[in-house]
Amino acid sequence: MSTSPVNRLRRLAVPLLALTALLLPTVPVPASAAPAATSAECAPPAAPNVPGARVLSVTAQAKPAGVIESPWFPPIAYPALCEIKVTLTHPGVNDNVLVAAWLPRAGWNGRFQGVGGGGYSMGNFDFGLAMALRDGYAAATTNGGVGDDGLSPASWALGPDGKVNEELLTNFSSRSLHDMAVVGKAVTAAHYGRPAGYAYWNGCSTGGRQGLMNAQRYPGDYDGILAAAPAISMPRFLVADLWGQVVMRQEKVLPTNCEFEAFQQAAIKACDTLDGVADGVLEQPLRCRYDPAALIGQKIQCEGKEITISRATAEVVRKIWAGHPSWSALPKSAPFSVVADTQPGPSGKRVGVPNPIADNWVRYFVEENPDFTLDTVTYRDFNRIAAKSPAKLDRFIGTDNPDLSAFRRAGGKMITWHGWTDPIIFAQGTTDYRDRVEHRMGGAARVDDFYRVFLAPGVDHCGGGTGPAPVDPLGALTKWVEQGKAPETLPAATQSPTGTPITRNLCRYPQTSHYDGKGDPNQATSYHCTR
């Protein structure tokens, strides 16, 4: 049974980390300056000094080894730990922020890891911390004072006056990230009697955006940043995620999800061999020029019935693939199931189901109206919303400043990887940002010295899909930071539907992978990177 789009979004809001670390076990690179340590004590340290904030409480609790279960991912076994919780507030804000740190009782690798969030959740208090602890890290995450509902900011987005709560939005976008780094590193040092040798950020989606914000605004907080599928330019891409819903409503055509899948698969089939091999994965989906009109008149089986693809449905697909001028469009290799989901309504008539994260962004932050609905939004209304969102909110959470000179001066290294079939945060936002960083900071060679981007063909949001996803991007980052070994490629892996192992080496942007024409197309050694 396929996972519904809403459950897929919920999945994103739960793990809240660079999820592809789950594909294969990670093997952390030993930190030579920080040998393993043990600690039998679990006592609350003195309240850390957090600039701009007042610490309200510090507690500590010893916890035994355990296993974190998830309905979507393999279980995570973690060792015994000391959990330290710090609550703080920012004077004049009236907020209550929790920072939680998990510190391994034995086998600490000498490193600290900041754990990123997803959706409207700033952090991950179980799954993400368990993953970091499993690999020997001392780790911390925070709720930023905004709770942990990944799909909706309803509990905090608007103040008593019905306007955007700018202080809590500031917590969510930036301020609480620095507080968490300060607190997490301080309690780690107090617990082990010495500071961590290296500090790393690890996040995907919102966590990827947080990684970029760390590099842009707090360049000294982390030695290495893994910012996967980053939610760059939230005020733009979240509105763009609603374009398909507006198109369907305005054209009064709501195709079934299997009709949309027919167009996606037809495009993949038509463009599959552009990269030299027919494997169901588009290496460069933006090169695909498939015309949806080619499917008009085709008959497909859909929900137990035979459906003939209509001209009106093909036109809706054309408009969705064309996108809105305010942002990049859904790649033709990506599923429609987030941006153009439809379901049978109460009366049996199909209704559009918007991406809840995007819908709530417009509802609460742009329109400041909890009762707002897309049902009456015209193309003209959508133009207004698309312009209003960044004009109003970029200053808080745009996270697209291309000036990373302070991060470079601090000696930081950053890796971003992004799936080319990501149906929520289109990968073009990442490539556009990298291009602008190059323009600002002296070209590709200079930027490659500290910031590298890798695209994963066929991979969905933070993992999944048909293509190979990175096996251990955090391990590649630690080697770069601690051993000076900059990654030329990222090893990636998946399995075919029949269980055949498939490997690739994801190429450093702007290079792409090309089949050599004679080797095993399932093996990375049969491909080379080329411009």
Side-chain angles (χ1 to χ4, degrees), residues 319-510:
K319 287 179 179 290
I320 293 173
W321 275 343
H324 187 268
S326 63
W327 194 243
S328 53
L330 181 75
K332 290 181 179 177
S333 57
F336 290 79
S337 55
V338 174
V339 301
D341 182 30
T342 65
Q343 298 291 335
S347 64
K349 184 179 180 181
R350 296 198 77 82
V351 296
V353 183
N355 169 355
I357 296 176
D359 192 42
N360 284 322
W361 175 264
V362 173
R363 188 187 305 268
Y364 290 99
F365 293 108
V366 182
E367 297 298 288
E368 298 174 322
N369 176 11
D371 297 323
F372 172 83
T373 174
L374 290 174
D375 289 343
T376 60
V377 170
T378 65
Y379 287 135
R380 183 174 181 178
D381 294 333
F382 189 83
N383 292 340
R384 174 188 61 79
I385 292 169
K388 180 180 179 181
S389 182
K392 178 181 179 181
L393 298 157
D394 259 0
R395 63 191 177 98
F396 294 101
I397 200 168
T399 323
D400 53 4
N401 180 2
D403 185 358
L404 297 177
S405 54
F407 182 68
R408 179 172 61 188
R409 286 195 300 270
K413 308 295 183 186
M414 183 160 62
I415 291 175
T416 288
W417 76 266
H418 204 140
W420 253 131
T421 59
D422 191 327
I424 302 171
I425 304 173
F426 310 147
Q428 300 97 302
T430 288
T431 58
D432 175 72
Y433 178 70
R434 163 65 200 223
D435 291 345
R436 291 190 296 110
V437 173
E438 289 182 15
H439 181 74
R440 178 64 179 264
M441 301 191 62
R446 295 195 66 189
V447 175
D448 279 343
D449 284 344
F450 71 96
Y451 175 36
R452 297 192 174 196
V453 169
F454 301 83
L455 298 174
V459 177
D460 290 355
H461 187 63
C462 296
T466 57
V471 171
D472 186 16
L474 185 58
L477 182 63
T478 61
K479 288 181 180 179
W480 194 5
V481 169
E482 299 172 23
Q483 302 176 26
K485 297 180 179 178
E488 289 297 320
T489 59
L490 286 185
T494 189
Q495 288 185 343
S496 73
T498 59
T500 301
I502 299 173
T503 61
R504 291 286 190 280
N505 290 320
L506 303 184
C507 299
R508 172 167 52 91
Y509 178 79

Side-chain angles (χ1 to χ4, degrees), residues 24-244:
L24 291 173
T26 58
V27 181
V29 179
S32 58
T38 61
S39 174
E41 301 299 324
C42 184
N49 177 33
V50 186
R54 179 167 58 91
V55 173
L56 301 175
S57 67
V58 181
T59 63
Q61 178 183 4
K63 290 189 172 184
V67 176
I68 294 287
E69 299 284 350
S70 166
W72 300 289
F73 301 101
I76 296 295
Y78 59 90
L81 66 122
C82 179
E83 179 183 61
I84 297 178
K85 291 184 176 180
V86 177
T87 58
L88 56 86
T89 187
H90 300 93
V93 177
N94 194 32
D95 58 351
N96 190 285
V97 178
L98 171 65
V99 178
W102 280 19
L103 312 173
R105 301 286 296 277
W108 180 43
N109 65 14
R111 303 184 183 103
F112 169 75
Q113 183 181 137
V115 175
Y120 292 112
S121 293
M122 278 207 72
N124 181 350
F125 289 86
D126 291 318
F127 204 86
L129 290 175
M131 287 179 62
L133 209 71
R134 177 198 65 186
D135 294 338
Y137 287 85
T141 197
T142 182
N143 70 0
V146 300
D148 61 358
D149 188 333
L151 296 179
S152 174
S155 66
W156 61 271
L158 304 180
D161 60 355
K163 301 297 182 183
V164 170
N165 189 325
E166 295 185 355
E167 293 289 359
L168 289 184
L169 181 57
T170 297
N171 278 8
F172 176 72
S173 64
S174 58
R175 178 165 53 200
S176 289
L177 294 173
H178 182 57
D179 292 345
M180 186 263 281
V182 171
V183 170
K185 289 193 280 189
V187 300
T188 297
H191 181 74
Y192 294 109
R194 57 189 175 87
Y198 298 96
Y200 293 93
W201 177 264
N202 188 2
C204 192
S205 193
T206 283
R209 182 200 65 77
Q210 292 168 325
L212 290 179
M213 181 64 81
N214 286 322
Q216 294 167 19
R217 200 164 297 184
Y218 311 112
D221 280 356
Y222 294 95
D223 302 295
I225 292 174
L226 179 60
I232 307 171
S233 302
M234 281 183 69
R236 289 174 169 81
F237 89 77
L238 282 178
V239 175
D241 272 6
L242 299 173
W243 171 241

